[in-house]
């Protein structure tokens, strides 16, 4: 008990120290924020009323963003299935799942924007680099979630099949999959929502989607058009989130 109390005190002290250090070493002046008020008000004033003449661009950009999220998510699911099996300690030995988990950690550590920029340089502008970037980046998280779902199932059905001489794939199909299917559905839906949100900003680096129009209008000081696109983005995100909530309730 004493060891736990000491550990909790040490953790709290470390967190408090990190917060105090951040405040002390960051150039944060409230006066600068107050003086920025008129400029922020001027910026917002230029955005209203929103310009409705950009509906064609909004429809095109929204459809492209949705395609990037869907195809990127599909690619991530396809890549994550074999990687999850190789990253599961239930399915393979430590010599296999250790390096695979390290690979997945590396993938998660690479920023999405960096991957998108590399893909734009490699394959050019358009939705393709966005699809590749989303699929690559999402694989690091999805494969980890899938592997954890495999390792979190009850061992009794697996042991019964092992005693009968069943191989790894048979154990996965008949003992593991029925238990992990709801978790897989929940995590996949959650990741799709994240992919959609991330796809919205990929246009900033030329990887397609509605973010391209936001960047274009802001850089050309057409703030009323940027406001229209921003409203469309908010509506799209809210609609997708509502659909995802309904799907998660359906599968869990």
């Amino acid at each position: 008990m004493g060891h736990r109390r000491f550990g909790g005190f040490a953790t709290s002290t470390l967190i408090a120290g990190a917060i105090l250090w951040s405040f002390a070493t960051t150039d944060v002046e409230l006066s600068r924020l107050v003086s920025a008020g008129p400029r922020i008000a001027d910026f917002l004033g230029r955005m209203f009323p929103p310009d409705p003449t950009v509906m064609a661009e909004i429809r095109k950009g929204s459809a492209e963003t949705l395609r990037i999220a869907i195809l990127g998510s599909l690619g991530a699911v396809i890549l994550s299935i074999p990687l999850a099996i190789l990253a599961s300690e239930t399915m393979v030995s430590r010599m296999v799942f250790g390096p695979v988990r390290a690979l997945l950690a590396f993938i998660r550590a690479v920023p999405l924007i960096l991957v998108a920029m590399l893909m734009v340089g490699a394959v050019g502008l358009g939705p393709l680099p966005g699809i590749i970037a989303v699929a690559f980046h999402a694989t690091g998280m999805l494969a980890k979630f899938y592997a954890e779902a495999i390792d979190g199932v009850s061992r009794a059905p697996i042991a019964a099949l092992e005693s009968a001489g069943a191989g790894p794939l048979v154990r996965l199909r008949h003992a593991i999959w029925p238990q992990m299917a709801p978790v897989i559905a929940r995590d996949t839906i959650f990741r799709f929502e994240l992919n959609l949100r991330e796809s919205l900003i990929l246009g900033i680096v030329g990887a397609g989607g509605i973010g391209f129009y936001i960047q274009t209008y802001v850089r050309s000081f057409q703030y009323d058009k940027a406001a229209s696109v921003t409203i469309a983005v908010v509506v799209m995100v809210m609609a997708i989130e509502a659909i995802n909530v309904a799907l998660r309730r359906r599968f869990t």
Side-chain angles (χ1 to χ4, degrees):
M1 182 65 69
H3 179 71
R4 290 184 179 179
R5 289 181 177 177
F6 176 78
F9 174 77
T11 302
S12 301
T13 302
L14 181 63
I15 293 174
I19 294 173
L20 292 175
W21 171 79
S22 299
F23 271 114
T25 57
T26 302
D27 185 18
V28 176
E29 298 178 9
L30 294 180
S31 59
R32 294 171 60 187
L33 181 60
V34 173
S35 64
R39 292 192 293 272
I40 295 174
D42 178 63
F43 177 79
L44 294 177
R46 295 183 185 183
M47 297 181 72
F48 290 93
D51 186 348
T53 64
V54 295
M55 288 305 300
E57 288 81 359
I58 289 175
R59 286 193 295 268
K60 180 182 178 181
S62 299
E64 191 167 83
T65 295
L66 193 57
R67 287 195 294 268
I68 291 172
I70 291 173
L71 295 179
S73 299
L74 176 62
V77 169
I78 294 173
L79 293 172
S80 296
I81 292 172
L83 287 173
I85 295 173
L86 295 175
S88 168
E89 60 182 85
T90 302
M91 302 299 299
V92 296
S93 66
R94 179 176 293 275
M95 292 182 62
V96 177
F97 75 73
V100 174
R101 288 184 180 181
L103 173 64
L104 296 178
F106 170 78
I107 293 174
R108 292 194 301 272
V110 179
L112 175 67
I113 289 294
L114 176 59
V115 179
M117 292 174 64
L118 291 174
M119 290 299 102
V120 167
V123 303
L125 301 175
L128 180 58
I131 293 169
I132 296 174
V134 168
F136 175 85
H137 194 258
T139 296
M141 177 183 290
L142 268 187
K144 177 178 182 291
F145 284 170
Y146 290 178
E148 290 177 348
I150 294 173
D151 293 337
V153 301
S154 173
R155 300 283 175 163
I158 302 173
L161 287 178
E162 282 182 338
S163 64
L169 293 181
V170 175
R171 299 199 304 269
L172 178 64
R173 170 64 183 86
H174 294 285
I176 298 175
W177 174 250
Q179 300 183 64
M180 62 182 282
V183 178
I184 291 296
R186 180 200 64 195
D187 292 341
T188 303
I189 293 169
F190 172 71
R191 184 62 225 193
F192 172 75
E193 183 179 337
L194 287 181
N195 289 344
L196 179 67
R197 294 173 186 270
E198 292 178 341
S199 299
L200 294 170
I201 65 172
L202 292 180
I204 296 175
V205 296
I210 200 170
F212 171 77
Y213 295 100
I214 296 178
Q215 173 194 227
T216 300
Y217 294 142
V218 170
R219 286 187 173 181
S220 59
F221 304 104
Q222 301 179 74
Y223 297 121
D224 52 347
K225 294 182 179 179
S228 297
V229 179
T230 302
I231 292 172
V233 167
V234 172
V235 171
M236 182 191 303
V237 170
M238 292 178 65
I240 293 296
E241 184 169 353
I243 294 172
N244 283 348
V245 169
L247 290 175
R248 284 198 294 268
R249 288 176 178 173
R250 169 68 178 81
F251 286 107
T252 57

